[in-house]
Each structure stands twice: as C-alpha cells, then as structure tokens.
Amino acid sequence: MAYKIKKGLAFRRIAGEVYIVDAARCEMRELNGTASLIWEGLAAGRPVAAIAAGLMAEFEVPERTALADVAGFVKDLAAAGLVEAVK
Amino acid sequence: MALRPVARRPGRAAAGFGLKVAGQALNFESYQPGIISVLRRRYGAFTGKAAGGYRFSLTAAPGSQSPFRPAVAASGDRLEIGRGDFRAVIGPGRKAELTAAPSEQTLDAFLRSFLSFLLLRAGGFMLHSAGLVKNDRAYLFLGKSGAGKSTLSKLAAAAGLEVISDEINLVRPGSNGFRAYGSPFWGEMRADGRPGSWPLGGVFLLKKARRNRVSGCKPVEALRLLLRCAVNFDRAPASAALALENGAALLAGAAFRRLEFSKADGSFLELI
C-alpha cells in the first residue's frame, strides 16, 4: 500500500534531522536520521518498497529488516495522523 | 466586528501618525483624532514615515477582547487579521483599513499580530525573549513566561547595559547577517523602547539557576524553543513552513547557547 503525507504539514531538514510542524494543531515533531529518510521518501512519492531499498543501500541491512522498519514506521506516522493511505 | 463606513465631514482634516518598527513603515490616518492620539502616546518613540509603507484608514469602534487570540487569513494579496476588538483588512498596494477599539491594548494586539506576520515574511521573527546590547551587539534570551526574561533584563539595566526589550524582540536578516531591532513591546519593565538595530551577537536558551553557566545546546533544542517563542498567529501551513525556513537560517547564522543564570546579581553578564 502507498502512503502520502497529509496536507497542511510543513517540514524541513535542519542539521541532519527532519522537523515537521502541524500548524493547525500547534505541534512540532523531529525525526532522527533513519526516520528522516523514510519521511523524505514518502514526500517524494516513493512506494514503501523503494524506500526500503534506499535504507538497504544506506545502512546495509537485509531487505526483510528494511521493509519491516519502513512498514512499522509508516504505521506509526499514520497513527499519529501525519500520513494517509493512498487509495 | 464589522467594518463600518464613517461619515466624513466636508472640510475636516484627517489626523495622521506614522510608525516605523523593524524596517516596516505603517501610516495611519483617521477622522477620529482620539484614536490617533492613542497611537501617538503609545508609540511616540517609534514615530517615522517612509515611502512605500502601509497606509491604514483607521476607524475607532468599541469592541471586546473576546475572542482574545487574533485570527489571520491570507489569500492572494489580501490579508485579514481580527479578534473581538479589532479587524484589519490589508489589500493590494499596501492600502489597508483598520477598525479598532481606541485603547493601547487593542492597538498593541493588532500591531503584534501584523508585525509578526510581516517579520516572518521578511525572513525574521518576533520572539518572546529578552534582548540586550553589549559591545554594540544584540543578544537575545529565549524563554516563555517564568524563564527569567524580566529578571535578566532588570539586572542588565542595573549593570548599565541597554535593554532592547524584556518581553518581545524583533529579528530579521540584514545585508550582513541577522539584526535585532528596537521594540515597542515590553513586559514588566514597561519601557518605551527606542528605534535602532544591532547585529545579532548570539541567542541564548534561558534558564534560572543557582550558578551562572554557559553551555552548548543541540540544534533540536534550539529550534524547538525558537519555534515555541516565535509569535505567529497565522495557522496556515505556509506560515509554518516559513517559520521552519527562517528558523534554519537563524540557526545557521547565529550562535545558540544555553545560559543558566543566578538572579543574585548581574555577574552572568560577564559570560555573554
């Protein structure tokens, strides 16, 4: 399943981490290095498999681990209301 | 509050007042001289006219401060800012209308709302902070209520340093880095402030402590407090994106450190 970042969020990479601001809810979140890569992949419209492939290349982890990490994190983002599934 | 047309008496001259803060010129004109007197009394230290400034047609009207938080709506070249006791409509060509209760608190609320909007779009911020000048450079101390902004400012003033504001400071990029500008917005010290600008020497995350200490801080801590201390009533995503962009530029352009200070005396100023 593909996901996209919800409308109304502002984000930017600063000093190696991505910061997300939800102005309507007055909330800010920061993402660590790995999470930032996943977020930026979603922002670029890449499917989960392609994002996982990027993590495999960056961190030299097995495909299974990368896919599980990306899927788990995307699930967390969806639960936090930051991304939504694309129908 | 609805904008009301005002019957203009033939031959009656409008009263005017020009204000210049942080490089932004705002000119007000009204057929009700009382509200111009309020502006002049409150912002007299920042009197100034500049070509190309905003031109407000000002109307006095009663209103309550509820809702207290100003609402901002920007669409194309039209901006609306309002709360219970004021409503401003800024249109193309910097031509604007402001209907407001003729009180200092109301006009202050409008100016904070509008100037914070303009500063964000000029690459800067209106910041809840204390600001002081040392060796011709400005230093800002970020902190929300209770962090020690007024205490620090009073100690700095007692030590002979110029305080820019003990509550709200204005920063924006200049031709040679970020600068802090004189602020008419004050807290406990209730001073008038004065026009002027100083190169930004540094920004401190403020904390009261028993001992004075300056230490480094992580970018994430600095950015988090910077955005918390930024005055911004605009809830649009584009505004949040600007705040992030400006925050990144300020983090790159100024040294951020943490200051723990004792309110016993002004000896912490030696660490600045």
Side-chain angles (χ1 to χ4, degrees), chain A residues 8 10 12 19 21 23 26 28 30, chain B residues 220 223-224 227 235 237 240-241 248:
Chain A
R12 186 183 171 93
Y19 296 83
V21 174
C26 295
M28 186 180 86
E30 61 263 11
Chain B
V220 58
L223 185 68
R224 192 183 292 137
L227 294 182
R235 290 280 165 250

Side-chain angles (χ1 to χ4, degrees), chain B residues 19-23 42-43 45-46 108 111-112 115 119 125-133 140 162-171 180-187 190-198 231:
Chain B
L19 172 70
K20 198 170 180 190
V21 180
R42 171 66 181 85
Y43 301 106
F46 288 84
D108 227 49
L111 273 177
R112 286 183 193 215
L115 285 172
L119 276 170
F125 285 108
M126 177 181 282
L127 292 170
H128 280 289
S129 59
L132 60 83
V133 181
L140 300 186
E162 177 168 8
V163 175
I164 303 170
S165 169
D166 66 339
E167 179 67 20
I168 299 264
N169 286 274
L170 317 168
V171 290
Y181 287 77
S183 170
F185 308 114
W186 288 68
R190 298 190 182 282
D192 290 333
R194 73 169 180 94
S197 77
W198 303 265
V231 178

